[in-house]
Amino acid sequence: MRITIMTIFPEMFEGFLNTSIIKKARLKNIVDIEVADFRQYTLDKHNRVDEYPFGGGQGMVLMCQPLLDCLRDIRRENSHVILMNPTGQQFNQKKAHQLLDYDDIVIICGHYEGYDARISDYVDEEISIGDYILTGGELGAMVVTDAVTRLVDGVISADSTVDETFETGLLEYPQYTKPVEYEGKKVPDVLLSGHHENIRKFRLYESLKKTYLRRPDLLENREFTPEERKMMRQIREELSEEEAE
């Protein structure tokens, strides 16, 4: 897979590209991640890539010319072009998996007050990482790149992603490691029992409970198995008893 990130602040990606799993994926040539500075394409004598908006208003707007000239230079026939935009479709794990279908992805980082609306005509989709405003699309581009890269075959063990939060439609169950007891807080006995079926049931129960408490919206359209329905009744009863105490 090839990912090209278009930005006017390429220095922001130096640490990101040379740290941890992203660095390893690049060194193994599993994923090719490049950064393109579209400021280098401006025809403005002052190297500007933005201008005041027509009709007035606050802030500056990215111009078509430098951004689209850069896009034309790096875009391939099979490129899937993404514009990071707070008004775009909200990014999630499902979208990360969908992006695996593309061998070549271009991510455009917006900046300043916004971008010339005509730029939208040259992209395939617009993505947001949440309902808030950042100073630019660089952090969002890192989020998307990281989430997709770790799903590419060979980057990390496939088993590592199976039970992760959102992969099963539920939040992940709590995890523990050594020591068995820390400041009076002990690891649940079932996790030390070696009984795999009991451990599976414990983790499913805790996963359902955490999701019910923190993200009940994820359960609204879930098709519960008979085992899960029974556990949900137990969870509601447990919580009701705790409230009554």
Side-chain angles (χ1 to χ4, degrees):
M1 173 179 280
R2 172 181 182 253
I3 300 176
T4 306
I5 302 169
M6 290 175 48
T7 176
I8 53 174
F9 297 108
E11 63 274 11
M12 289 184 65
F13 294 88
E14 292 176 2
F16 173 71
L17 294 177
N18 293 288
T19 306
S20 188
I21 290 174
I22 298 295
K23 178 181 179 180
K24 292 178 181 177
R26 295 176 65 230
L27 289 176
K28 293 179 180 178
N29 295 317
I30 299 174
V31 179
D32 179 18
I33 305 175
E34 302 174 0
V35 178
D37 182 358
F38 61 85
R39 187 185 295 277
Q40 297 181 2
Y41 289 79
T42 183
L43 300 179
D44 183 84
K45 63 180 180 180
H46 301 295
N47 289 325
R48 293 175 59 176
V49 295
D50 60 311
E51 257 297 353
Y52 292 103
F54 286 124
Q58 298 298 317
M60 307 290 281
V61 176
L62 287 174
M63 297 185 291
C64 291
Q65 179 272 313
L67 193 152
L68 294 179
D69 280 358
C70 178
L71 179 60
R72 292 187 184 98
D73 195 26
I74 64 175
R75 187 174 195 167
R76 298 178 180 177
E77 186 176 345
N78 65 335
S79 294
H80 182 74
V81 182
I82 298 168
L83 176 65
M84 300 306 304
N85 185 354
T87 66
Q89 176 186 354
Q90 191 148 318
F91 187 69
N92 55 27
Q93 193 68 7
K94 180 179 179 181
K95 172 55 69 172
H97 278 282
Q98 291 174 349
L99 292 178
L100 289 176
D101 292 337
Y102 302 102
D103 294 326
D104 191 281
I105 296 174
V106 177
I107 304 177
I108 302 173
C109 302
H111 215 77
Y112 305 118
E113 184 62 25
Y115 59 90
D116 189 304
R118 290 169 290 189
I119 291 173
S120 291
D121 296 334
Y122 298 83
V123 307
D124 296 301
E125 65 176 320
E126 300 181 18
I127 288 179
S128 166
I129 61 168
D131 295 338
Y132 45 85
I133 306 300
L134 300 172
T135 54
E138 285 74 17
L139 293 177
M142 293 181 198
V143 168
V144 173
T145 300
D146 187 282
V148 173
T149 296
R150 66 191 305 278
L151 295 176
V152 176
D153 288 343
V155 174
I156 60 176
S157 170
D159 293 340
S160 299
T161 65
V162 173
D163 293 324
E164 288 184 322
T165 292
F166 303 123
E167 287 293 345
T168 62
L170 302 172
L171 302 187
E172 188 177 6
Y173 47 78
Q175 300 269 29
Y176 300 87
T177 188
K178 296 179 179 179
V180 172
E181 183 174 347
Y182 180 75
E183 294 187 347
K185 303 178 188 298
K186 296 186 64 178
V187 174
D189 290 337
V190 65
L191 297 179
L192 307 175
S193 67
H195 195 297
H196 297 299
E197 178 61 11
N198 287 346
I199 291 173
R200 182 195 67 79
K201 290 180 179 179
F202 169 81
R203 287 175 167 171
L204 177 58
Y205 184 90
E206 292 299 320
S207 186
L208 285 165
K209 182 178 179 180
K210 181 186 287 188
T211 307
Y212 180 71
L213 290 172
R214 300 184 182 182
R215 290 291 304 276
D217 57 295
L218 296 177
L219 301 176
E220 291 177 359
N221 298 314
R222 184 177 182 82
E223 295 184 6
F224 293 98
T225 65
E227 181 183 40
E228 290 175 345
R229 283 196 292 271
K230 181 179 179 180
M231 287 184 175
M232 287 304 303
R233 287 194 295 269
Q234 294 173 342
I235 290 168
R236 293 187 181 98
E237 291 172 1
E238 177 188 338
L239 294 174
S240 296
E241 291 174 359
E242 291 177 357
E243 290 178 358
E245 293 178 355

